[in-house]
Amino acid sequence: MEEEEELECPNSSSEKRYFPESLDSSEGNEEGILACEDLELNPFDGLPYSSRYYKLLKEREDLPIWKEKYSFMENLLQSQIVIVSGDAKCGKSSQVPQWCAEYCLSIHYQHGGVVCTQVHKQTVVQLALRVADEMDVNIGHEVGYMIPFENCCTSETILRYCTDDMLQREMMSSPFLGSYGVIILDDIHERSIATDVLLGLLKDVLLARPELKLIINSSPHLISKLSSYYGNVPLIEVKNKYPVEVVYLSGAQKESFESILRLIFEIHHSGEKGDIVVFLACEQDIEKAYEIICQEGSNLNPDLGELVVVPLYPKEKCALFKPNDETEKRCQVYQRRVVLTASSGESLIWSNTVKFVIDVGVERRKVYNPRIRANSLVTQPISRSQAEIRKQILGSSSPGKLFCLYSEEFASEDMRPLKPAEMQEANLTSMVLFMKRIDIAGLGHCDFMNRPAPESLMQALEDLDYLAALDNDGNLSEFGIIMSEFPLDPQLAKSILASCEFDCVDEMLTVAAMVTAPNCFSHLPRGAEEAALSCWKTFLHPQGDHFTLINIYKAYQDTALNSTSEHCVEKWCHDYFLNCSALRMADVIRAELLEIIKRIELPYTEPAFGSKENTLNIRKALLSGYFMQIARDVDGSGNYLMLTHKQVAQLHPLSCYSVTKKMPEWVLFHKFSISDNNYIRIASEISPELFMQLAPQYYFSNLPPSESKDILQQVMDHLSPISTMKKEQKMCEKCPETTEQRCTIQ
């Protein structure tokens, strides 16, 4: 029966041109069989096209970019680089990769398949699913996707969607990306570090592989910069105008929450159909707005329909997928969604139900300060290009309204034209480690579109040197090569390597997975704080937050092993106010890290969590990577002063020490950002003696003068000469001789 449905012939007149005329006049069984024999075959899998293919083809032909197909294909044949400029909803991210797949098919894949990069992993999955549907093939076969810790591709995959950092990592094993005949860099205007690195490295790859094609998809704002960067290359411009009414509300920014609430309820009372998207500055604003709207919304007249508030928190895998016709109709009749987000808006492009956008015009950005090795959370105006993308969410056949909680003067005078490149505002240690690894393959000299700050580069090189990732010549050491194999922050990778020496690999892999995955604690509804804290107390470990994370993961694993269904696991997570999807992700991350450990043949010991020796070993492994993130309680009341600078911070309220009111003097921490609260997140107690045994001597020497450094100096003076000698011997060894053969480039 399924095959019969797949071979069903379309009946609508708009589809007749794709079929032989005999299909329209076919009557009876014999003519029906002949009709099915004449069905057009899909060249990608050799099977007849389904009726859904033709329905989607009609939708594709209505996209603004479809008019440019001939021009694009002509330029693709004649040029090595093609730039495509178009707005968010023009169809470039879904159609251009399909056209490139057709090109590769026409030359029998002699140079490889197609890969298309995206910045956001949600967009990768959405696009792959959509394009597989449009091409009438199976996801995971002809079309697939790769995102961190999830690979839905096979060796036969023709078109791959992936995050930009995944393609960057692929260059470590295949520097010239020989598996691909066409590389598409999408979301260029997001200016992520990985995309900027790929833009630079691919210049050299194109010279080495004249047959390789590079397609660059970007919003119109970046075209002039791209043209000067790549020279005189073909440009395909997609014109796309949607009816959007823009309303500027000058003065509303000062009382943004009141203005947002007033607008939401005015729209809802007006009876106009459509969902509302509200762009806020940060996660804290999302939580505050969610509580207020839910509280006020409960008093609304039920005849107006239900007001459903959807908070989209950063790094969570949730977005508005494009609904089918029936779902869209049902949503518009019975409920209106109010989506609260602080993201760029890319993940919302797929929704056609959004008719109203409220934009506060500011965002909270992380800006890294290399001098103090910490992020500062800075509230600043968004760029004009970001404002334009938020406007494009409204693009559809029916008009939409954009409410800007700022004036036109603010937009023209205070907003920058383009979003700042992440490379100029972020910690570059991971990027420099990657570039050092690529340098082994001869691609280390990268022409960046925006040069990173010299101070940030120097700090990154200094940190890698402290982590023993560089040799005396500034090249990657054997340790550094192994560290680069892990898709983790270099400090975390170093801790995993140290755990091999201290016999606590199993526990360290769990810690690495839990801190890499999204927050395992659920966002709490109003009034649930006390109940949640009571549940979380069952997992608290007296030795620190890293140990608490191990407890949570072990409890999750035990529940999963003893449960008869996935529903039982979800219920357990719900009962304990834990994020089930985050714990699932931690499970996946841990499995991949374990696979890397086995592949490069690092020693792996059986778990011994709970023993006194194991607790000490975990601390040693953590300190080996995070000795640069130490703080001391300077007054005994929980005011922690950083060892590297004079910033004072407090432990996060959910830290086991905050809950138990037992503040240790010295802590190692995983995260710290300079913000309103200045919280230290994920902290565990250490001793100054242990710090002096494991931190590099030259790192300690470079610390700025402070009372904490004086205390550590006294500790070092009391350490026996024997222990100091052992420490120097370990620093010289750095990596076992047996790793020399294992660390070769693939």
Side-chain angles (χ1 to χ4, degrees):
M1 289 298 293
E2 289 181 2
E3 289 184 3
E4 289 177 10
E5 289 178 10
E6 188 71 8
L7 296 174
E8 180 185 357
C9 302
N11 297 318
S12 66
S13 59
S14 63
E15 293 163 345
K16 288 179 183 177
R17 60 195 173 92
Y18 301 114
F19 292 88
E21 283 187 18
S22 59
L23 277 179
D24 299 318
S25 58
S26 61
E27 294 179 7
N29 190 45
E30 185 178 345
E31 291 183 353
I33 293 172
L34 288 172
C36 286
E37 287 178 355
D38 289 338
L39 280 173
E40 187 180 356
L41 297 180
N42 188 334
F44 292 106
D45 62 7
L47 298 174
Y49 283 122
S50 68
S51 58
R52 179 166 174 76
Y53 168 80
Y54 296 99
K55 179 187 175 184
L56 293 176
L57 181 60
K58 186 171 179 59
E59 292 180 14
R60 293 168 63 193
E61 289 173 341
D62 290 335
L63 290 169
I65 197 167
W66 193 266
K67 298 173 186 175
E68 308 297 333
K69 181 176 181 180
Y70 177 79
S71 175
F72 173 81
M73 296 301 284
E74 191 175 34
N75 281 294
L76 181 64
L77 285 169
Q78 297 175 359
S79 307
Q80 196 176 16
I81 303 173
V82 180
I83 297 175
V84 180
S85 164
D87 290 338
K89 281 194 170 184
C90 71
K92 64 184 185 297
S93 299
S94 60
Q95 302 312 302
V96 168
Q98 293 185 62
W99 300 341
C100 292
E102 291 173 14
Y103 161 77
C104 289
L105 174 68
S106 69
I107 59 172
H108 308 291
Y109 308 109
Q110 57 181 314
H111 305 310
V114 181
V115 64
C116 179
T117 67
Q118 300 287 326
V119 173
H120 306 289
K121 63 182 181 181
Q122 304 100 308
T123 315
V124 169
V125 179
Q126 289 174 22
L127 280 169
L129 291 169
R130 175 68 183 180
V131 168
D133 199 17
E134 290 183 355
M135 291 176 66
D136 209 15
V137 295
N138 292 323
I139 188 71
H141 291 85
E142 291 81 12
V143 175
Y145 64 85
M146 296 184 298
I147 60 177
F149 307 105
E150 187 177 347
N151 186 353
C152 187
C153 294
T154 68
S155 57
E156 306 299 317
T157 300
I158 300 160
L159 170 56
R160 300 174 187 228
Y161 280 91
C162 69
T163 50
D164 48 8
D165 57 330
M166 290 298 289
L167 186 63
Q168 178 183 288
R169 287 198 65 79
E170 192 171 337
M171 291 188 77
M172 294 200 316
S173 56
S174 177
F176 296 98
L177 298 171
S179 302
Y180 306 112
V182 181
I183 296 172
I184 305 165
L185 299 183
D186 207 345
D187 280 352
I188 295 295
H189 51 272
E190 288 285 322
R191 303 304 309 275
S192 69
I193 290 177
T195 292
D196 275 11
V197 168
L198 287 170
L199 280 170
L201 290 178
L202 285 173
K203 278 189 168 184
D204 291 334
V205 175
L206 289 168
L207 291 173
R209 291 186 58 201
E211 77 283 359
L212 178 65
K213 306 285 186 178
L214 173 63
I215 314 301
I216 300 171
N217 287 347
S218 177
S219 66
H221 307 85
L222 201 61
I223 293 306
S224 60
K225 195 171 184 67
L226 279 170
S227 298
S228 60
Y229 182 61
Y230 272 104
N232 186 24
V233 297
L235 171 64
I236 307 294
E237 292 186 272
V238 184
K239 302 298 181 182
N240 186 23
K241 289 189 177 180
Y242 291 119
V244 175
E245 180 186 346
V246 181
V247 180
Y248 291 97
L249 301 171
S250 57
Q253 214 167 25
K254 295 177 182 177
E255 47 182 34
S256 58
F257 275 100
E258 292 79 3
S259 301
I260 290 166
L261 284 172
R262 187 175 64 254
L263 281 170
I264 289 172
F265 295 129
E266 281 179 4
I267 292 168
H268 196 56
H269 279 101
S270 72
E272 292 184 68
K273 304 298 182 184
D275 293 334
I276 305 168
V277 173
V278 183
F279 285 100
L280 298 163
C282 60
E283 187 174 339
Q284 289 76 15
D285 287 355
I286 293 175
E287 292 176 352
K288 182 179 176 183
Y290 177 75
E291 289 181 4
I292 296 173
I293 298 169
C294 286
Q295 188 175 2
E296 297 290 332
S298 61
N299 302 321
L300 291 173
N301 184 349
D303 294 338
L304 294 171
E306 186 182 2
L307 199 63
V308 180
V309 188
V310 183
L312 294 188
Y313 293 103
K315 294 190 177 180
E316 287 191 1
K317 195 174 182 179
C318 54
L320 287 178
F321 284 79
K322 184 178 181 180
N324 57 39
D325 296 338
E326 188 62 34
T327 305
E328 188 169 326
K329 184 179 178 183
R330 189 170 63 250
C331 284
Q332 289 185 344
V333 172
Y334 296 109
Q335 61 181 223
R336 185 199 303 275
R337 287 177 294 183
V338 179
V339 182
L340 307 175
T341 182
S343 71
S344 62
E346 289 289 344
S347 59
L348 296 162
I349 292 298
W350 288 82
S351 176
N352 282 334
T353 62
V354 178
K355 301 301 176 192
F356 306 95
V357 169
I358 301 171
D359 184 10
V360 297
V362 295
E363 64 177 346
R364 184 169 290 183
R365 299 176 62 84
K366 280 185 180 179
V367 179
Y368 186 73
N369 186 335
R371 282 173 291 177
I372 61 176
R373 290 186 173 86
N375 286 312
S376 296
L377 293 177
V378 181
T379 301
Q380 56 188 211
I382 60 172
S383 66
R384 289 198 287 276
S385 61
Q386 287 172 284
E388 185 63 28
I389 287 173
R390 295 178 177 187
K391 177 181 175 182
Q392 291 163 19
I393 292 171
L394 292 166
S396 62
S397 55
S398 58
K401 285 185 181 179
L402 168 65
F403 296 95
C404 301
L405 304 189
Y406 49 85
S407 64
E408 287 188 76
E409 290 76 21
F410 179 86
S412 59
E413 296 174 9
D414 295 340
M415 289 183 176
R416 289 174 285 190
L418 298 172
K419 180 180 179 180
E422 187 185 2
M423 187 175 289
Q424 297 178 317
E425 295 186 340
N427 185 346
L428 302 181
T429 309
S430 293
M431 186 206 80
V432 172
L433 179 65
F434 167 77
M435 295 300 293
K436 286 288 183 182
R437 174 70 184 261
I438 287 295
D439 195 38
I440 299 172
L443 289 174
H445 303 287
C446 188
D447 177 22
F448 294 115
M449 191 151 60
N450 286 93
R451 301 293 295 179
E455 192 176 11
S456 296
L457 284 174
M458 290 303 297
Q459 174 266 318
L461 287 167
E462 188 177 58
D463 285 3
L464 290 175
D465 191 36
Y466 288 147
L467 292 168
L470 304 179
D471 61 20
N472 293 332
D473 297 321
N475 301 314
L476 274 196
S477 65
E478 292 166 353
F479 242 144
I481 294 173
I482 301 176
M483 283 167 62
S484 68
E485 288 289 327
F486 291 91
L488 301 171
D489 177 86
Q491 289 174 278
L492 198 51
K494 176 64 183 294
S495 289
I496 289 178
L497 292 188
S499 70
C500 298
E501 178 186 353
F502 298 122
D503 297 329
C504 57
V505 179
D506 186 86
E507 294 80 9
M508 200 59 230
L509 288 181
T510 299
V511 170
M514 290 293 282
V515 298
T516 304
N519 187 1
C520 65
F521 298 107
S522 295
H523 288 281
L524 300 178
R526 178 183 283 272
E529 293 85 355
E530 192 174 334
L533 192 58
S534 178
C535 290
W536 293 340
K537 279 182 179 179
T538 59
F539 305 113
L540 294 185
H541 196 292
Q543 299 300 330
D545 297 334
H546 296 87
F547 299 85
T548 296
L549 292 177
I550 296 175
N551 272 346
I552 293 172
Y553 180 78
K554 285 173 68 66
Y556 167 77
Q557 265 200 326
D558 291 343
T559 303
L561 288 171
N562 298 323
S563 297
T564 54
S565 68
E566 194 66 35
H567 175 72
C568 296
V569 180
E570 290 173 358
K571 185 180 182 305
W572 178 83
C573 290
H574 181 268
D575 291 344
Y576 281 91
F577 298 92
L578 297 174
N579 186 335
C580 192
S581 61
L583 289 168
R584 282 199 200 102
M585 178 56 70
D587 213 19
V588 172
I589 293 171
R590 193 184 185 285
E592 182 163 327
L593 296 179
L594 181 58
E595 188 62 35
I596 295 171
I597 289 281
K598 291 177 179 177
R599 175 168 57 82
I600 57 182
E601 301 177 33
L602 293 173
Y604 183 86
T605 53
E606 291 300 314
F609 186 64
S611 69
K612 190 174 181 180
E613 183 184 7
N614 179 259
T615 299
L616 178 61
N617 286 340
I618 293 171
R619 281 201 179 118
K620 287 180 177 179
L622 286 169
L623 253 175
S624 298
Y626 287 91
F627 53 84
M628 288 179 276
Q629 294 182 194
I630 305 296
R632 183 176 72 90
D633 186 355
V634 291
D635 57 8
S637 61
N639 290 313
Y640 285 88
L641 189 66
M642 305 293 140
L643 195 56
T644 52
H645 52 86
K646 295 182 178 180
Q647 288 291 335
V648 177
Q650 286 75 39
L651 295 177
H652 192 271
L654 291 182
S655 171
C656 65
Y657 303 118
S658 299
V659 174
T660 58
K661 309 295 183 186
K662 296 178 180 178
M663 302 294 181
E665 183 181 2
W666 295 84
V667 294
L668 168 151
F669 59 90
H670 182 70
K671 279 184 189 175
F672 167 68
S673 293
I674 300 171
S675 61
D676 298 337
N677 297 318
N678 275 19
Y679 283 141
I680 289 174
R681 297 174 187 269
I682 313 179
S684 291
E685 182 179 8
I686 60 149
S687 67
E689 290 79 14
L690 202 60
F691 173 84
M692 293 309 301
Q693 289 172 21
L694 292 167
Q697 177 59 44
Y698 54 101
Y699 167 74
F700 175 73
S701 304
N702 290 335
L703 286 174
S706 66
E707 183 184 357
S708 299
K709 185 177 181 180
D710 293 341
I711 294 170
L712 291 171
Q713 183 65 54
Q714 293 172 14
V715 169
M716 187 174 70
D717 294 341
H718 287 88
L719 284 175
S720 65
I722 297 174
S723 64
T724 306
M725 198 164 64
K726 282 183 180 178
K727 176 186 170 185
E728 289 175 356
Q729 186 179 356
K730 281 183 182 177
M731 285 173 60
C732 292
E733 288 173 359
K734 287 188 179 179
C735 192
E737 291 181 5
T738 52
T739 61
E740 188 171 350
Q741 294 179 345
R742 298 177 193 149
C743 298
T744 55
I745 303 297
Q746 298 172 0

